[in-house]
C-alpha cells in the first residue's frame, strides 16, 4: 500500500468517525445553547464585561463545531455573535435584542436541522444579523 493509499484510508476513516458523531451533534449544540442562555443571564449592568466574556466563550464553542457536522450556518451565525460580543466587551455596552436575535437564529437553524449555508435564506439571515449588530 502506498503512502497515498494510507492517507486516503485514514481520511475515509476520519470522515466516517465524524459522520457517526453527527447524530450526537444536535444534543451537544442544544446543551451549548442552554449554556449560552445561562451565560447571557449573567450579563448584568453591574459587570457586563464578565458576562459578555462568558457568553463569548460559549458562542465560540458553538461556532467551532457547526461546519464540522454540516451546519455551516451555525458556524457563520456563531462567528457574528462572537464578533458582536467581543466588540461589546471593548465598548462596555451591548444591546440584549442583538444578542437575542443571534441566539434565536441559532435555535431556528438547529430546531429545523438546516444544514449547509441555507443558500439565499442563509445570506439574508447573516445580512440581517450583521446590520443589527452595527
Amino acid at each position: 500500500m502506498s503512502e497515498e493509499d494510507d492517507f486516503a484510508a485514514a481520511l475515509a476513516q476520519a470522515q466516517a468517525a465524524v459522520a457517526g458523531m453527527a447524530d450526537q451533534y444536535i444534543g451537544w449544540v442544544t446543551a451549548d445553547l442552554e449554556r449560552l442562555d445561562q451565560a447571557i443571564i449573567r450579563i448584568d449592568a453591574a459587570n457586563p464585561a464578565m458576562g459578555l466574556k462568558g457568553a463569548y466563550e460559549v458562542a465560540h464553542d458553538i461556532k467551532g463545531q457547526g461546519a464540522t457536522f454540516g451546519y455551516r450556518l451555525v458556524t457563520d451565525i456563531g462567528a457574528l455573535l462572537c464578533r458582536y460580543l467581543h466588540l461589546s466587551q471593548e465598548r462596555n455596552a451591548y444591546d440584549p435584542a442583538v444578542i437575542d436575535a443571534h441566539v434565536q437564529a441559532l435555535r431556528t437553524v438547529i430546531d429545523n436541522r438546516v444544514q449547509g449555508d441555507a443558500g439565499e435564506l442563509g445570506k439574508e439571515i447573516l445580512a440581517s444579523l450583521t446590520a443589527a449588530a452595527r
Side-chain angles (χ1 to χ4, degrees):
M1 201 175 221
S2 72
E3 194 172 307
E4 191 174 298
D5 291 337
D6 288 343
F7 177 76
L11 180 60
Q13 186 177 13
Q15 289 172 330
V18 169
M21 291 187 297
D23 292 339
Q24 296 173 331
Y25 172 70
I26 296 299
W28 296 335
V29 74
T30 299
D32 283 343
L33 287 170
E34 290 172 15
R35 285 184 27 227
L36 183 58
D37 288 340
Q38 293 305 308
I40 290 167
I41 289 170
R42 289 190 287 276
I43 301 172
D44 60 29
N47 190 359
M50 191 63 121
L52 289 165
K53 181 180 185 294
Y56 173 89
E57 290 170 358
V58 179
H60 191 268
D61 289 346
I62 291 169
K63 173 189 78 135
Q65 294 177 359
T68 300
F69 296 103
Y71 288 85
R72 178 71 209 178
L73 194 53
V74 168
T75 291
D76 293 343
I77 294 168
L80 291 175
L81 179 56
C82 282
R83 183 171 54 204
Y84 181 75
L85 293 169
H86 179 75
L87 290 173
S88 294
Q89 283 178 285
E90 289 180 351
R91 296 176 188 149
N92 200 28
Y94 67 98
D95 183 346
V98 172
I99 295 171
D100 289 343
H102 285 78
V103 174
Q104 184 58 45
L106 287 167
R107 285 194 189 290
T108 300
V109 169
I110 294 304
D111 290 348
N112 292 290
R113 309 295 194 266
V114 179
Q115 292 190 291
D117 64 9
E120 286 303 312
L121 178 60
K123 288 178 187 175
E124 290 176 23
I125 291 168
L126 296 174
S128 175
L129 292 172
T130 299
R134 290 187 182 154

